[in-house]
Amino acid sequence: MTQHIDHEDPVLRALVLHPVRSQLANARDPQARLEEATGLALALDLDVVESRIVPLRERTPATLFGKGKVEELRLLCEVEEIDVAVVDDSLSPVQQRNLEKAWNVKVVDRSGVILEIFGRRARTKEGVLQVELARLEYEKSRLVRTWTHLERQRGGTGNTGGPGETQIELDRRQIADRIIKMKKDLVEVRRTRALHRSQRKKVPYPTIALVGYTNAGKSTLFNKITAGGVLAKDMLFATLDPTLRNVKLPGGRPAILSDTVGFISDLPHELIESFRATLEEVQEADVILHVRDIANPDTQAQKRDVETVLTELGVTKDSDRKIIEIWNKADLLTPDERDEAEGAARRTGGMLVSSITGEGCEALLNRLASLVDETPEIDVQLSVNAGEALAWLYRHGRVVGRHEGGEGDLHLRVRLDGQALGRFERMFPDATVSEAVG
């Protein structure tokens, strides 16, 4: 009998810790942050057996946590047979090394977890390059003090008798060389993307970008609107690579919709820089849909995080940009919460939708059509037997109003660009065309 051998990696048991340093104004809800950190760990397929909020009176330079807390957590790691401790904060290389020694487990900070998730999810050439560059930048900062076992001399070359190059110096130089090469590769990728964008601009299609906090439901909404088949899961960072699809808006106007990487608070600065090209889709968009998880208790703090990144990109309501807030996951609200959200949406111009049930999606498409369609309206009067002219208008323009006159003739309100209008007047000289009034 053939014995089955399981080659899959064992599932690692994880402890998730969220240190709370102070109760600042506008501080994130600690419980929501702990749940988010747990979500990050689950996105790495870790088995989260324990998660805790850990109050900090002050940061301890050597270990972040105080001596007593380090010992308490060591016992927890031992009892629960923990393999990986995820610390939802930024750890210095020294702190990371000391905690690994104290707890005898692998320790990963917030930046390390996010970089690992991005490394697993990136699919396009650009995405892979960006993540690799971010990982190298992160590792470069860790080489200085962490890898003490590499601080050994290699023998001198020739008869110089001088000190050889240390292993850490060699590693640092190799990483620096790879970073230079990858930055050159990224420049080429961005140049190609810029060419693609300039090609798209030759087609007079408006562009609409979805942005939002990770797991706000952007990809599900994207699929609902476009039937695009993008990976959409209840998982942090389910979408990493930008996806573009055509969407036909009411009235026939086509537009290009792009789904982008989710934002998150305290994103590693290496990733912010290396993902500039991904976010260029947002910078170039005619309309930006800021998708919010309105059922999340931390929705206001998430909104601030997204707006901070948008401001860094030069995308604000003061800029020449149309930004609409889409309040998603309306299906998860209680009746009282829904009443409150509907009132707030009316006051602020937001739109309450559910990408699961489709509620509000038709109204969203109609609003998008009115925002992106700047083609002037004209009034067209056709005789009762002008069927060919009527069909032509529906095919090449957008009929936004129609009623029959007393003589059986047809009165239409149509959006038609200048070039199409010229062709229509040449082909159908009997039609009466005038500027739209009122």
Side-chain angles (χ1 to χ4, degrees):
M1 187 175 76
T2 305
Q3 186 176 2
H4 174 71
I5 300 174
D6 187 2
H7 292 287
E8 288 189 12
D9 293 331
V11 176
L12 298 176
R13 294 170 63 83
L15 165 67
V16 177
L17 304 170
H18 173 62
V20 179
R21 285 183 268 174
S22 62
Q23 291 301 325
L24 300 171
N26 292 334
R28 301 290 294 273
D29 174 54
Q31 187 59 41
R33 276 296 295 257
L34 180 64
E35 288 173 9
E36 180 178 284
T38 302
L40 290 170
L42 293 172
L44 285 179
D45 302 318
L46 296 174
D47 176 18
V48 178
V49 295
E50 183 75 32
S51 59
R52 288 192 178 183
I53 294 168
V54 185
L56 285 184
R57 280 195 293 272
E58 59 182 3
R59 286 181 75 99
T60 304
T63 53
L64 180 65
F65 307 103
K67 193 174 180 181
K69 186 60 69 174
V70 169
E71 176 59 19
E72 178 191 325
L73 293 170
R74 182 192 70 78
L75 290 171
L76 178 62
C77 289
E78 192 176 298
V79 169
E80 295 290 350
E81 299 180 336
I82 298 298
D83 301 302
V84 181
V86 174
V87 180
D88 187 36
D89 206 326
S90 179
L91 293 175
S92 72
V94 167
Q95 289 169 341
Q96 188 173 351
R97 182 192 68 207
N98 288 341
L99 288 175
E100 286 185 343
K101 280 184 178 178
W103 297 341
N104 197 30
V105 300
K106 173 71 179 166
V107 174
V108 190
D109 69 357
R110 184 178 175 87
S111 293
V113 170
I114 293 173
L115 284 165
E116 179 67 22
I117 294 171
F118 276 48
R120 290 189 185 188
R121 302 278 169 76
R123 293 289 177 268
T124 64
K125 182 181 178 184
E126 178 188 19
V128 170
L129 274 175
Q130 289 170 327
V131 172
E132 180 65 10
L133 178 60
R135 190 182 63 77
L136 289 170
E137 295 277 10
Y138 180 75
E139 281 188 4
K140 183 177 70 173
S141 70
R142 312 256 124 190
L143 274 172
V144 184
R145 291 158 294 180
T146 307
W147 295 355
T148 50
H149 63 287
L150 297 178
E151 289 280 18
R152 58 183 183 272
Q153 296 290 115
R154 287 186 171 182
T157 55
N159 298 316
T160 60
E165 185 175 38
T166 64
Q167 180 67 46
I168 193 168
E169 285 169 348
L170 182 67
D171 288 334
R172 196 181 293 124
R173 186 161 55 79
Q174 286 176 339
I175 283 183
D177 289 344
R178 287 194 67 194
I179 286 173
I180 290 169
K181 181 184 182 303
M182 299 196 84
K183 283 184 174 177
K184 285 180 180 174
D185 291 344
L186 260 178
V187 167
E188 183 59 30
V189 169
R190 289 176 183 180
R191 192 182 68 82
T192 304
R193 281 171 64 82
L195 285 173
H196 289 165
R197 267 201 312 276
S198 64
Q199 288 296 320
R200 288 204 301 272
K201 280 184 177 177
K202 291 179 182 176
V203 180
Y205 290 174
T207 55
I208 302 162
L210 293 174
V211 302
Y213 205 80
T214 186
N215 213 31
K218 295 184 304 301
S219 296
T220 310
L221 182 62
F222 183 88
N223 288 340
K224 197 75 176 176
I225 293 173
T226 66
V230 176
L231 174 65
K233 287 188 176 179
D234 183 14
M235 179 191 291
L236 298 178
F237 297 119
T239 303
L240 278 188
D241 297 309
T243 309
L244 303 176
R245 291 281 187 278
N246 283 345
V247 57
K248 200 163 188 179
L249 298 175
R253 180 83 191 265
I256 296 172
L257 190 67
S258 70
D259 189 16
T260 59
V261 60
F263 296 25
I264 195 165
S265 64
D266 304 325
L267 189 69
H269 66 87
E270 298 92 352
L271 274 176
I272 290 175
E273 182 53 39
S274 66
F275 268 71
R276 290 283 176 200
T278 303
L279 297 174
E280 280 173 10
E281 295 293 344
V282 178
Q283 289 174 302
E284 297 288 332
D286 298 299
V287 178
I288 293 164
L289 301 183
H290 176 181
V291 182
R292 292 176 55 190
D293 176 356
I294 203 63
N296 191 303
D298 230 11
T299 186
Q300 285 295 337
Q302 292 179 352
K303 172 185 174 176
R304 287 194 297 272
D305 288 329
V306 172
E307 288 180 342
T308 297
V309 180
L310 288 176
T311 300
E312 288 175 8
L313 294 171
V315 178
T316 63
K317 289 186 178 177
D318 296 331
S319 62
D320 190 21
R321 257 347 112 74
K322 297 164 184 168
I323 304 176
I324 308 174
E325 282 193 14
I326 307 302
W327 296 4
N328 192 26
K329 305 192 183 181
D331 53 298
L332 300 181
L333 297 176
T334 65
D336 287 346
E337 288 171 338
R338 168 181 281 278
D339 289 343
E340 189 179 331
E342 285 175 346
R346 281 193 296 270
R347 289 193 302 274
T348 62
M351 298 196 72
L352 197 61
V353 307
S354 168
S355 51
I356 295 295
T357 66
E359 176 195 346
C361 288
E362 187 177 344
L364 171 59
L365 288 172
N366 283 322
R367 186 164 174 188
L368 286 174
S370 66
L371 278 173
V372 302
D373 200 341
E374 295 175 349
T375 311
E377 290 186 356
I378 56 170
D379 284 327
V380 180
Q381 185 176 339
L382 299 176
S383 61
V384 70
N385 57 356
E388 189 182 347
L390 180 63
W392 195 96
L393 287 173
Y394 271 101
R395 208 163 45 242
H396 298 279
R398 284 167 300 289
V399 177
V400 295
R402 169 177 172 169
H403 69 273
E404 290 187 9
E407 304 293 323
D409 54 348
L410 209 52
H411 294 266
L412 304 169
R413 178 67 61 93
V414 185
R415 287 188 180 273
L416 207 60
D417 65 45
Q419 192 175 9
L421 176 58
R423 285 173 58 203
F424 177 78
E425 289 179 322
R426 286 195 301 274
M427 293 174 67
F428 307 101
D430 293 339
T432 303
V433 177
S434 59
E435 285 186 17
V437 179

